[in-house]
Amino acid sequence: MDPSQIAQTALYQEVAERLRQRIFAHQLAPGARIDEQALAIDYGISRTPLREALKVLAAEGLVTLRPRRGCFVTEISEQDLDDIFPLMAMLEGRCALEATTRAQPEDLARLDALHAELQRFAESNEIERFFEVNQAFHYQIQEMSGNRRLRQVIQDLRKVLKLTRLFSLSIDGRVQQSLAEHAIILAAIKAGDAAGAQVAMHDHILAGRQALARSNAIQELPT
């Protein structure tokens, strides 16, 4: 294989990751038009790898390609959230069930450590750090399930949900509620209660949707 082809592939993947992180950080806001020319100049690349990167992000649902209009950061509607969260609840609930049946002592130790971090950041009201560790807690359970395909589907959906990151956790009391829900999930897994872990995870995900609905309602109130 031509070495230049390998370099080109690595380039568009790197560009996709940079854009992905800018989208997650809301440096590229939902609904914003992506200026391909400006980005190509900024990154010092041609339009070809940039367009390949945008195709990757479009496949992930993070951007929308509109013929003759350009590329835009995806906006998540209330209907999108109503569609995604029940699916996430079902998938992550199944993941928790499978993780419980396969859990090893070292897996449980890792979950304990992550939950301790969640508690620390909840107490100090460090929402950004809580969000990061929350992601790690869920990912650990996904890894424990040993189900690669299930994990991939969940991660693809979570990428889209990152477009709404932090808002649900910003609601008063949601961080403490989320911490309590994680404690129930952890206790069920440690007890070997696969069905209980599944229900707890399912309910936890749907509680996140309810909190997000409250968050959006508050943002829409007149000032």
Side-chain angles (χ1 to χ4, degrees):
M1 181 179 291
D2 185 345
S4 65
Q5 293 180 342
I6 297 176
Q8 185 77 353
T9 300
L11 178 58
Y12 86 75
Q13 290 176 339
E14 180 181 347
V15 173
E17 179 58 22
R18 290 190 185 188
L19 291 174
R20 192 179 290 117
Q21 293 307 317
R22 290 179 69 175
I23 290 170
F24 291 160
H26 283 199
Q27 295 170 1
L28 294 171
R33 186 178 186 278
I34 293 177
D35 188 333
E36 294 184 27
Q37 183 175 1
L39 283 174
I41 293 172
D42 186 32
Y43 291 155
I45 59 175
S46 70
R47 297 282 283 273
T48 299
L50 177 59
R51 286 172 176 168
E52 289 300 313
L54 292 175
K55 288 179 183 178
V56 171
L57 299 183
E60 294 176 357
L62 299 181
V63 302
T64 303
L65 302 173
R66 300 177 184 169
R68 297 180 296 280
R69 293 186 60 191
C71 183
F72 297 80
V73 179
T74 299
E75 292 185 274
I76 300 298
S77 69
E78 289 294 307
Q79 185 59 54
D80 290 327
L81 295 175
D82 286 339
D83 291 343
I84 292 172
F85 270 88
L87 181 58
M88 286 285 294
M90 179 181 66
L91 294 172
E92 293 216 38
R94 177 65 190 184
C95 219
L97 182 149
E98 294 188 14
T100 303
T101 63
R102 294 180 171 88
Q104 299 298 313
E106 58 271 22
D107 298 324
L108 299 178
R110 175 61 178 157
L111 276 182
D112 268 330
L114 288 169
H115 190 263
E117 289 186 55
L118 284 172
Q119 187 167 14
R120 183 167 72 254
F121 293 135
E123 290 171 352
S124 59
N125 200 35
E126 295 181 71
I127 296 177
E128 177 76 23
R129 299 295 298 278
F130 186 96
F131 178 86
E132 293 171 357
V133 178
N134 172 73
Q135 296 290 303
F137 184 93
H138 282 261
Y139 189 75
Q140 172 67 13
I141 292 174
Q142 293 159 31
E143 286 283 298
M144 288 166 58
S145 76
N147 190 326
R148 178 174 58 85
R149 296 188 183 279
L150 181 57
R151 183 172 68 242
Q152 184 60 58
V153 174
I154 291 171
Q155 287 303 307
D156 286 345
L157 288 172
R158 278 191 169 270
K159 286 177 184 176
V160 176
L161 289 182
K162 277 190 178 182
L163 294 170
T164 61
R165 71 194 298 269
L166 293 182
F167 292 158
S168 65
L169 290 175
S170 298
I171 288 290
D172 286 345
R174 177 55 193 158
V175 167
Q176 290 298 332
Q177 180 186 6
S178 178
L179 180 66
E181 291 161 6
H182 281 93
I184 295 172
I185 295 166
L186 177 59
I189 293 175
K190 292 174 70 174
D193 181 3
Q198 181 176 25
V199 170
M201 179 64 81
H202 180 276
D203 292 349
H204 168 60
I205 298 297
L206 292 187
R209 172 64 185 114
Q210 293 168 1
L212 196 57
R214 294 197 302 273
S215 173
N216 290 340
I218 288 173
Q219 292 182 63
E220 292 172 2
L221 288 176
T223 57

